[in-house]
Amino acid sequence: MATHKLLLLAGDGIGPEVMAEVKRLIDFLQKAGAAKFEVEEGLVGGVCYDAHGVAITDATMDKAHAADAVIFGAVGGPKWDGVAYDVRPEAGLLRLRKELGLFANLRPAVCYPALAEASSLKREVVEGLDIMIVRELTGGVYFGEPKTITDLGNGQKRAIDTQVYDTYEIERIARVAFELARKRRNKLTSSEKRNVMKSGVLWHEVVNQVHQREYKDVTLEHQLADACGMQLVRWPKQFDVIVCDNLFGDMLSDVASMLTGSLGMLPSASLGEVDPKTKKRKAMYEPVHGSAPDIAGKGMANPIAMLASFGMAMRYSFGMNREADLLEAAIAAALGRGLRTADIKSEGAKVVGTREMGDAVLGEMERLAA
Ligand code: IPM
Ligand code: MG
C-alpha cells in the first residue's frame, strides 16, 4: 500500500479545532486499513507570525513541496490586524498557492438534502444543488505587479492593484473546467467582465478558442461576473461548472456557499499541473470558510467543510474514490439524523459542537462501511 505524505497546517482561529477532526478521520482510515499516511504538521498564518515573524517559514515551504498533499485550516484574525502587509497571516496562504503552482481551485457547492432549510434562499431554489466553481488561483489581481500605495505628496495617496492574465494561464484553467464539465453535466459557464476589463476580453477569447479546438462537445456559455452573481442567487441550478478568475472566483464562491446552507459546508481543492514524469500534481485542500475568530476556541465550529476537504484529497490526490464517497454519504447521514452545528441550525434540529459532529460523521462511516 502506498504511503501518502501529508502536511497539516491548521493555522488560526477555528483552524486547529476543525483540523482535530481531520486527524481523527486519518486515524480512522489507517485503522481500517484503507491507506497509510505519513503526517507532519507546521505553522501558518498568525500563529507562525507570533513564533517566527513571518506567515510561513522557508522550512515549512520545503515540507509543503515534499508533501503529496497539504491540508490547510484557516488563517487570520483581529489579533494580527496591525502587522506589516507582507507578513500578514493571509500572506502564508498566498505564498503556498503561488510557490506550489496551485492554479486550479475547485470549489464544489453541494446542497445536502437535509440542509435545504438552512439556506437563506427558498427550498426549491437550492434543494439538490450540485455546482462546481473553478477559480484561477495563482494569477490576476492577487499577484499582479505593480501592487502599491504611493504618497502623491499633496495629501493624496494612490493605490494600484494590477489585474493581469496571459493566454497560457487562461488556457490551462479553462481545460481543467472543461474536463470537469465532461465528467458532470457537460456544461461550462465562463464568467468575466469583458464589458469593462481588457483581461475579460482576453479571457472570453481564449476560453472560446479552447472550446472550439478541444471541447466542442461541452456546452459553453458566457456570463458577465456581476450577472453571474445575480443568477447564482436567482436560479443556481442552471449552472454545472463555472470558471472564472481569481477575484471573481473568491466572491462567487462565497455567494455559492450560502446556497448550501453555510460557509461552514464548502470544501476546496487547489491543484497544480500534472507532472508528466511522476503523474502526480501538487495539491492543497482547505475549507472555503475563514478562521471565524468570533467562535474560535468554543468547540462550536462546523467541521464538515474541513472533513470534506480531506475527502477531496482522497479523490484528487490519493485515488481513494470509494472512501471519498463513503465520507460524503456519512456527512449526509449525520445531517439526515438531524444533527446541526450552530451555523446550520434549523427548527427541531439538535445543535451539536465540533467534536460531536466529527463523532457522528465517523460513526456513520463505520456503520456504512460495515
Ligand atoms: C479564500 C479566502 C482567501 C482569498 C483569503 C484568506 C486570502 O478568502 O480562500 O477564498 O481571498 O483567496
Ligand atoms: Mg474567499
Side-chain angles (χ1 to χ4, degrees):
M1 198 185 298
T3 302
H4 307 300
K5 282 178 79 165
L6 299 175
L7 176 63
L8 309 188
L9 301 174
D12 306 318
I14 61 170
E17 293 159 59
V18 293
M19 190 65 83
E21 300 311 306
V22 164
K23 289 185 193 164
R24 297 169 69 213
L25 173 60
I26 292 169
D27 285 344
F28 173 88
L29 292 164
Q30 299 210 108
K31 287 208 184 96
K36 274 199 189 133
F37 296 104
E38 193 183 307
V39 181
E40 283 214 70
E41 294 188 55
L43 296 178
V44 70
V47 286
C48 186
Y49 174 82
D50 289 345
H52 303 288
V54 288
I56 191 161
T57 63
D58 293 346
T60 304
M61 281 305 303
D62 289 345
K63 286 184 190 166
H65 276 283
D68 293 316
V70 177
I71 312 295
F72 189 96
V75 289
K79 183 178 175 198
W80 302 284
D81 275 352
V83 309
Y85 186 78
D86 59 330
V87 292
R88 74 199 188 287
E90 290 78 7
L93 173 60
L94 298 180
R95 183 173 175 198
L96 281 160
R97 288 175 179 171
K98 188 71 177 176
E99 289 185 17
L100 296 180
L102 308 173
F103 69 93
N105 185 214
L106 279 45
R107 299 189 158 188
V110 174
C111 183
Y112 286 91
L115 286 192
E117 284 317 323
S119 172
S120 52
L121 282 91
K122 291 196 193 95
R123 172 180 276 280
E124 65 263 28
V125 175
V126 296
E127 195 165 34
L129 182 78
D130 176 1
I131 63 177
M132 174 75 87
I133 297 184
V134 177
R135 168 187 179 193
E136 200 290 327
L137 202 61
T138 50
V141 77
Y142 273 63
F143 298 100
E145 296 286 345
K147 195 176 192 55
T148 50
I149 298 179
T150 318
D151 201 325
L152 297 178
N154 56 355
Q156 296 284 306
K157 290 180 184 175
R158 177 171 296 151
I160 302 178
D161 290 290
T162 306
Q163 165 82 345
V164 49
Y165 274 106
D166 289 358
T167 304
Y168 81 94
E169 295 177 285
I170 305 170
E171 278 175 349
R172 67 182 180 181
I173 193 70
R175 285 197 187 99
V176 169
F178 278 119
E179 291 291 335
L180 282 165
R182 260 187 190 158
K183 292 193 194 123
R184 294 168 50 95
R185 298 186 299 278
N186 218 37
K187 182 179 171 191
L188 178 64
T189 305
S190 171
S191 189
E192 30 60 24
K193 282 279 292 175
R194 67 182 180 282
N195 53 347
V196 181
M197 301 166 77
K198 288 289 185 186
S199 57
V201 172
L202 185 66
W203 185 279
H204 178 256
E205 182 183 309
V206 172
V207 172
N208 272 335
Q209 284 165 356
V210 173
H211 179 235
Q212 280 307 303
R213 269 199 317 259
E214 299 163 44
Y215 297 97
K216 268 193 165 149
D217 54 301
V218 179
T219 304
L220 171 66
E221 64 167 36
H222 301 274
Q223 277 185 16
L224 296 175
D226 54 346
C228 187
M230 180 274 286
Q231 291 294 345
L232 264 175
V233 289
R234 191 187 73 86
W235 191 244
K237 288 185 214 167
Q238 69 185 276
F239 297 107
D240 179 13
V241 179
I242 298 174
V243 65
C244 52
D245 78 8
N246 207 341
L247 183 62
F248 293 142
D250 182 42
M251 301 196 55
L252 294 177
S253 59
D254 265 29
V255 173
S257 73
M258 275 319 292
L259 308 173
T260 72
S262 155
L263 197 49
M265 295 297 299
L266 239 66
S268 86
S270 305
L271 308 173
E273 213 103 54
V274 178
D275 183 320
K277 280 204 206 100
T278 62
K279 300 277 180 271
K280 284 188 179 180
R281 68 195 328 174
K282 295 247 170 14
M284 180 160 79
Y285 299 88
E286 54 169 307
V288 172
H289 65 67
S291 58
D294 51 324
I295 60 163
K298 296 186 179 160
M300 61 189 280
N302 185 350
I304 292 178
M306 185 78 248
L307 288 168
S309 297
F310 195 82
M312 292 188 85
M314 295 199 275
R315 212 180 277 292
Y316 292 99
S317 284
F318 309 141
M320 295 169 68
N321 287 329
R322 217 182 62 85
E323 288 79 7
D325 289 344
L326 189 66
L327 174 63
E328 276 158 29
I331 291 170
L335 295 170
R337 266 169 50 198
L339 300 184
R340 302 283 186 276
T341 42
D343 58 311
I344 48 176
K345 71 167 179 266
S346 57
E347 287 251 335
K350 178 164 190 271
V351 176
V352 297
T354 312
R355 173 50 63 96
E356 277 170 287
M357 185 58 95
D359 280 340
V361 171
L362 291 180
E364 290 296 338
M365 274 185 90
E366 208 153 3
R367 194 178 62 78
L368 292 167

